[in-house]
Amino acid sequence: MKAVAVLPGKPNSVHLREIPQPKLNDQPHAHVCSIPEGRAVLVKTLQIGVDATDREINEALYGNAPPGGEHLVIGHESFGEVLEVGAKVTELKPGDLVSCTVRRPGGSIYDKIGRNDITSEETYYERGINLCHGYMTEMFVDDAEYMVKVPPQLRHLGVLSEPASVCAKAIDQAYLAQHRLQVWSPKRAFVLGAGQIGLLATMMLKLRGLDVYTLATKPGPHRKSEIATAYGATYVSTKQESMHDLAKRVGKP
Amino acid sequence: MKAVAVLPGKPNSVHLREIPQPKLNDQPHAHVCSIPEGRAVLVKTLQIGVDATDREINEALYGNAPPGGEHLVIGHESFGEVLEVGAKVTELKPGDLVSCTVRRPGGSIYDKIGRNDITSEETYYERGINLCHGYMTEMFVDDAEYMVKVPPQLRHLGVLSEPASVCAKAIDQAYLAQHRLQVWSPKRAFVLGAGQIGLLATMMLKLRGLDVYTLATKPGPHRKSEIATAYGATYVSTKQESMHDLAKRVGKP
C-alpha cells in the first residue's frame, strides 16, 4: 500500500512510498510499547491533517525514523474508519469513525499514569513525528487505548480532533495553573494567530464565556477573520492595529 | 520624631526628616483602608531592612508619596516591639515582637478575600514603597490584622520576615501551579542570585528536601557562599562555570 514518508535529516525528502499493508496482529511500535493481546484496531485512513510540524519534519528540522529504518511515515492528525478490531476491543466496532492519538508512553511517572502527553522524558515517541511511523498511509493499526471515537455527525470535523486536543489541553492547563490564585475568573482572552490552532482556541475560549480577540497579520475580511467572527470573537489585523494599541483601546474588562 | 524619607520623582533625595510622633488612634493610610475601632497597634521600630527596592525608590525609578504630600517615608522590611494596643486587640500585647506586612487591600476580589498580596489591581498600596508611608521611623501604627508576631527566640531574624515571606510565597505558588500536572515531585532546584532572597530561597528549597544549586557571579569562598553551603546547598560561581555547563554536568536527578 502507499504511504507518504520523509528521510529524516534530509531536507525536502517527502515522497510516496510502497510499504507492507498492516495486519491486526502487527506491533507497529514494539520499540516503545506493545499492543496487548486482542486490543488492536485496524483503521482505514479517510483524512490526514497537515500542519507546520509536518513542514518542519520535511525541512529536516525535526523528527527521527523508527529504529532500524531510514524513513519516517509522516501524518499525525488522523481520521479514519475502523475496519477490524481485536477480540478484547469492546468500545469500537467496524464502521466506527476514529482519530488516533499521537504520543506513546515512555517510562516517566506521567507515562505510567496515562498522562504521556505531559511526559517528563526528553525523548518523545510520537506517531508521524518522532521515532514512530505516522498515519499518512492507506491503513494503520494501533492499540484501542489510543483511539478516540468520533460521532458520525462530526465526520466532517474528525480530522481536527488532534489539533483541537492541543488547544483544549493548553486552555485547561492554564486554568489549572491559576488555581494557585484561589479565585480566578478571566473575562477576556487574546489569541495570537488565526491558523487552525488559533481558530480552534478562539472557539474554545468563546465556549468558556470569554470576550475573545483573535489577532493575525492579514487585514480582513478573509476566510480566517470570517471564522473568528462567526465564533463571536473580534478579529484584529496587527497590520492595522498594534498589540500595544489594542491593549490600550480595550482596557481591562 | 525622626524618619528617613525620599521625595518621589527626585533622584537621590533620601533624607532625615522630622515627622509627628504617631498616636494609637491615628489612621496612617485612611486613603486606602481604615484601622477598625480598637484594632490599632503602636510599634517601636527596632530594625528595618534595606534592599534593591529601596535603592530604586531613591533613584526615583519607583514609588509615590501618599496623596496630599511630597515625601514618602521609606522602609518596608520592618521589625519592632509593640508599645501599645487597642482595646480589641487580643493577639498582641506590649513587649511582643512583630513584623508588619507591606501591601494594603484595594478593591479586587483578591483584596476582599484577604489575598491583597495577589491583587489584580494595577495600583499597589505598599507601606514604604508606594502611596503609603513606610516603617523607617522611630514608631509606627497599623492594624493588628497586618502584624505578624515574631517569637522572642527569633528576635535576631525578625527583620528577615518580609523577604522570607516573598520567598515562601514564590515557592508555594510554583508548587501550586504545578498541581496542573497531577503529580510533580521536583528533586533539584537552581537558585539564581545569592542576595537575601537567593539565600532565603536556598534555605526553603533545602527544607523541601531538594538538591539545591545557588548561583551567583563571585567565586567563593565568601560570606554568601558559606551561608549557601551551610544550608547544604552547592554554591556555583557563574564566572567559574556557566549555567549551560552546570546544567550539562549535573544532568537530570
Side-chain angles (χ1 to χ4, degrees):
Chain A
M1 67 172 184
K2 290 188 171 51
V4 176
V6 295
L7 302 175
K10 192 177 165 192
N12 295 312
S13 63
V14 66
H15 62 281
L16 197 62
R17 185 178 191 100
E18 194 67 27
I19 62 166
Q21 187 163 315
K23 284 178 295 292
L24 197 63
N25 60 353
D26 281 356
Q27 286 292 352
H29 36 69
H31 57 296
V32 195
C33 55
S34 295
I35 302 174
E37 171 68 26
R39 291 287 296 163
V41 177
L42 176 67
V43 176
K44 176 186 163 191
T45 301
L46 295 177
Q47 290 177 315
I48 301 293
V50 175
D51 70 4
T53 301
D54 297 293
R55 198 181 60 213
E56 288 170 9
I57 293 169
N58 186 43
E59 288 170 359
L61 297 173
Y62 201 76
N64 289 289
E70 278 188 338
H71 77 284
L72 170 74
V73 175
I74 61 170
H76 59 278
E77 303 183 356
S78 69
F79 180 61
E81 183 184 328
V82 173
L83 291 181
E84 199 181 344
V85 302
K88 291 184 181 166
V89 175
T90 55
E91 63 271 52
L92 290 172
K93 60 179 190 312
D96 281 347
L97 300 172
V98 292
S99 186
C100 195
T101 68
V102 177
R103 192 175 292 174
R104 295 295 165 264
S108 83
I109 178 73
Y110 302 105
D111 299 279
K112 290 187 170 91
I113 63 168
R115 293 301 309 265
N116 33 302
D117 57 324
I118 47 174
T119 184
S120 60
E121 304 217 312
E122 283 168 26
T123 301
Y124 306 143
Y125 296 92
E126 296 178 318
R127 291 200 65 165
I129 301 178
N130 203 38
L131 298 168
C132 295
H133 286 308
Y135 306 112
M136 207 176 277
T137 178
E138 294 176 56
M139 285 177 228
F140 59 85
V141 163
D142 213 330
D143 191 336
E145 175 74 16
Y146 307 121
M147 301 280 172
V148 178
K149 195 168 166 178
V150 175
Q153 301 90 327
L154 297 180
R155 184 186 182 102
H156 61 301
L157 296 172
V159 74
L160 289 172
S161 302
E162 193 275 340
S165 75
V166 170
C167 301
K169 180 182 149 186
I171 295 168
D172 208 40
Q173 286 282 306
Y175 275 77
L176 285 169
Q178 295 302 73
H179 276 182
R180 70 191 174 82
L181 297 175
Q182 294 179 283
V183 286
W184 191 63
S185 78
K187 306 268 184 293
R188 183 169 289 157
F190 297 92
V191 174
L192 305 187
Q196 64 174 353
I197 292 286
L199 291 173
L200 287 165
T202 296
M203 177 187 73
M204 291 177 191
L205 291 163
K206 280 303 301 178
L207 288 171
R208 288 211 185 221
L210 302 191
D211 176 27
V212 183
Y213 288 80
T214 304
L215 284 66
T217 46
K218 201 178 158 192
H222 47 65
R223 190 68 180 272
K224 289 174 176 178
S225 72
E226 280 163 8
I227 293 173
T229 308
Y231 288 148
T234 303
Y235 178 83
V236 177
S237 158
T238 51
K239 276 196 181 157
Q240 295 179 323
E241 184 172 21
S242 73
M243 288 171 60
H244 179 83
D245 290 344
L246 174 65
K248 213 167 145 184
R249 175 167 66 86
V250 302
K252 286 178 75 170
Chain B
M1 68 173 183
K2 292 189 170 52
V4 177
V6 295
L7 302 175
K10 191 176 166 192
N12 295 311
S13 64
V14 67
H15 62 281
L16 197 64
R17 187 180 189 99
E18 196 65 29
I19 62 165
Q21 188 163 313
K23 287 180 293 291
L24 196 63
N25 60 352
D26 282 357
Q27 287 291 352
H29 35 69
H31 58 295
V32 195
C33 55
S34 296
I35 302 174
E37 171 67 27
R39 291 286 295 162
V41 177
L42 177 67
V43 176
K44 175 187 164 194
T45 301
L46 296 178
Q47 291 176 314
I48 301 293
V50 175
D51 69 2
T53 301
D54 297 292
R55 199 181 58 210
E56 289 170 8
I57 293 169
N58 186 44
E59 289 170 0
L61 297 174
Y62 202 76
N64 290 288
E70 280 187 336
H71 76 283
L72 170 74
V73 175
I74 59 169
H76 60 278
E77 301 184 357
S78 68
F79 179 62
E81 183 183 331
V82 173
L83 290 181
E84 198 182 345
V85 301
K88 293 185 180 165
V89 174
T90 54
E91 64 272 52
L92 290 172
K93 59 181 192 309
D96 281 348
L97 300 172
V98 291
S99 186
C100 195
T101 67
V102 176
R103 192 175 292 173
R104 296 294 165 266
S108 82
I109 178 73
Y110 301 106
D111 299 280
K112 290 186 171 91
I113 63 167
R115 292 303 307 265
N116 32 303
D117 58 322
I118 46 174
T119 184
S120 59
E121 303 218 312
E122 281 167 28
T123 301
Y124 306 145
Y125 296 94
E126 296 180 318
R127 290 200 69 166
I129 301 177
N130 203 39
L131 299 165
C132 295
H133 286 309
Y135 306 112
M136 207 177 278
T137 179
E138 294 176 57
M139 284 177 228
F140 59 85
V141 163
D142 213 329
D143 191 335
E145 174 74 17
Y146 307 122
M147 302 281 171
V148 178
K149 195 168 166 179
V150 176
Q153 300 89 326
L154 297 180
R155 184 188 182 103
H156 61 302
L157 296 172
V159 75
L160 290 173
S161 301
E162 193 274 342
S165 75
V166 171
C167 300
K169 181 181 148 186
I171 295 168
D172 207 38
Q173 286 282 306
Y175 275 78
L176 284 169
Q178 295 301 73
H179 276 183
R180 70 190 173 83
L181 296 175
Q182 294 179 282
V183 287
W184 191 61
S185 79
K187 306 266 184 295
R188 181 170 291 158
F190 298 91
V191 174
L192 305 187
Q196 65 174 350
I197 293 285
L199 290 174
L200 287 165
T202 296
M203 178 188 73
M204 291 177 191
L205 291 164
K206 280 303 300 178
L207 288 171
R208 289 213 184 219
L210 302 192
D211 175 28
V212 183
Y213 288 79
T214 304
L215 284 65
T217 45
K218 201 178 157 189
H222 46 64
R223 190 70 179 270
K224 290 173 175 179
S225 71
E226 279 162 9
I227 293 173
T229 308
Y231 289 147
T234 303
Y235 179 84
V236 176
S237 159
T238 52
K239 278 196 180 156
Q240 295 179 323
E241 183 172 22
S242 73
M243 288 170 60
H244 179 82
D245 289 345
L246 174 66
K248 213 167 143 182
R249 175 168 66 87
V250 302
K252 286 178 78 170

